[in-house]
Structure formats: structure tokens, C-alpha cells
Amino acid sequence: MKINTAEFIISNSDASKCPAEFLPEYAFIGRSNVGKSSLINMITNHKNLAKTSGRPGKTQLINHFKINNNWFLVDLPGYGYAKVSKKTKSVFQQFITDYFENREQLVCAFVLIDIRHEAQKIDIEFMSYMGESEIPFCIIFTKADKISKVKIDSHVAAYKKQMYANNWAEMPHYFVTSSTESIGKEELLTYIDEVNQEVFKNNSGF
């Protein structure tokens, strides 16, 4: 799939105020400083579509971008170590939960994980929540250019082991990416395109 247009539509902190247009949505979420904004800019061919920052936790709202006029990319606040107050963090958690559990247009969430690190408890716990809530998601491992392929394979294997230990029947579909080297871009866009085709073919309310 080629991205021809990418347009910012709205930011808000209330899932009920997200766009009413019934188009498939793909939500991107991960720990603070996982490289989410850089990944979004990479796959959309826009350097500044999503704002990047050296300060973790910069994204603090639900951000909708309309892609090719037929689907939405949704940039969600990171979870984990953002330097915000406990009160603000609890608000994040509430509207993120509201979005995931009530947004009918959501067809897939992408959980971003920094591949440089071994399996992190917070990521495992978040994915467990997604699984228990029956929210469809894939994993995107980021920053693959920073370590060797041997370490990448080792860290992916560690996540598989942790998820099997947490009673997962199988590892969710995953992508290995690098925003710097554009690794995984075509695979990710092809996946979204294939899901979109299925959604529209089945006419699942879209």
C-alpha cells in the first residue's frame, strides 16, 4: 500500500468525541520513548505528522489521522514512565481504556516494544490486558537497527517464552521495524492493506 494522503483530524481526551465517520482504525501505543512518533512518520512518509520529542510521554491525547481517505491511524499516549502527575496518568489510563473497550471502529491495535531490551513486565502486563479484553492487536518491535540480528531473535524469543508462560496459545502477529532504516515499513503497510480489504469486503459496518 502506498500512502498518498495523511491528514490530521482531531485530538481529544474523550473517546466518545472521536470522529463519527465509520472507517477502520489502527491504534498505535507503547511505553514512553519507544519511538512511536518516529514510526508513524516513517510509515506515512511525513517527517512531522506525529510530533517527536526527546521528552518521554509527549503524546497526551488521542490523535486521529486520516490516511488515504479510507482509514484512520490513531496515535495514543504511551504507558509507563512518562513524567506526568499521578492524576494525569490516571486520566490517560481511563480514556485509553474507554477507547479500547468502546471504539467500534478499532480493527487492530499495534503495541510498540523497544527490541533493544529483554522482555519487560509492563509490556507483558499491557498485552495481557489486551488479550483478556479481547482487543485485537499485533506487536511492533522498534529500533531494530540498534542491535544485531542475533539479539533481535533472542529478545523476540524471550517475549514468546514470557507470553507462553502467561497462558497465551501463540505469539501475536509481530513486525520488526526501524524508523531510521525503514525496516518493516512495507510489511506493516501490506498487513494494514490486507485487513482493510477484508473489512470492506465483509462490509462489517464500514
Side-chain angles (χ1 to χ4, degrees):
M1 173 174 55
K2 182 179 179 181
I3 302 295
N4 296 310
T5 60
E7 177 188 7
F8 170 74
I9 301 299
I10 192 172
S11 292
N12 68 78
S13 59
D14 185 343
S16 68
K17 295 180 181 178
C18 289
E21 198 169 0
F22 223 79
L23 293 174
E25 294 186 359
Y26 298 83
F28 289 70
I29 190 168
R31 279 189 295 123
S32 300
N33 210 28
V34 75
K36 177 165 53 69
S37 295
S38 295
L39 179 82
I40 290 172
N41 291 337
M42 182 264 286
I43 65 173
T44 58
N45 297 318
H46 282 67
K47 289 185 178 180
N48 299 304
L49 187 69
K51 294 181 180 179
T52 58
S53 172
R55 178 166 61 87
K58 181 68 174 178
T59 304
Q60 298 184 6
L61 297 168
I62 303 171
N63 299 299
H64 273 75
F65 302 92
K66 185 181 283 188
I67 310 298
N68 289 349
N69 290 314
N70 67 357
W71 59 278
F72 282 110
L73 184 157
V74 185
D75 182 9
L76 295 174
Y79 55 84
Y81 307 107
K83 292 184 178 179
V84 295
S85 68
K86 288 184 178 179
K87 180 179 180 181
T88 301
K89 190 172 291 186
S90 68
V91 172
F92 284 2
Q93 293 168 345
Q94 186 58 56
F95 72 68
I96 290 172
T97 299
D98 288 345
Y99 173 82
F100 278 133
E101 297 182 2
N102 299 304
R103 187 66 174 166
E104 293 181 39
Q105 290 93 326
L106 177 67
V107 295
C108 183
F110 292 108
V111 179
L112 277 63
I113 294 174
D114 189 336
I115 193 62
R116 296 177 299 175
H117 309 300
E118 295 183 358
Q120 301 290 304
K121 181 180 178 182
I122 190 170
D123 292 321
I124 298 296
E125 289 177 346
F126 183 77
M127 289 188 287
S128 293
Y129 155 73
M130 298 290 278
E132 290 166 2
S133 302
E134 299 184 347
I135 299 164
F137 76 94
C138 297
I139 299 171
I140 297 179
F141 291 106
T142 63
K143 306 186 181 184
D145 60 300
K146 305 298 184 183
I147 60 174
S148 68
K149 187 179 185 304
V150 172
K151 280 195 173 182
I152 289 172
D153 292 342
S154 174
H155 291 177
V156 170
Y159 269 96
K160 288 182 180 179
K161 183 177 180 180
Q162 285 284 336
M163 297 189 81
Y164 292 151
N166 281 273
N167 299 316
W168 286 80
E170 60 182 0
M171 178 80 164
H173 193 87
Y174 68 88
F175 303 87
V176 175
T177 70
S178 164
S179 299
T180 304
E181 304 293 335
S182 293
I183 296 169
K185 176 180 178 179
E186 293 305 318
E187 291 84 353
L188 182 55
L189 289 176
T190 296
Y191 178 82
I192 292 173
D193 188 42
E194 290 174 349
V195 174
N196 279 343
Q197 289 181 36
E198 284 297 313
V199 167
F200 289 119
K201 183 176 72 174
N202 295 330
N203 194 29
S204 304
F206 291 90

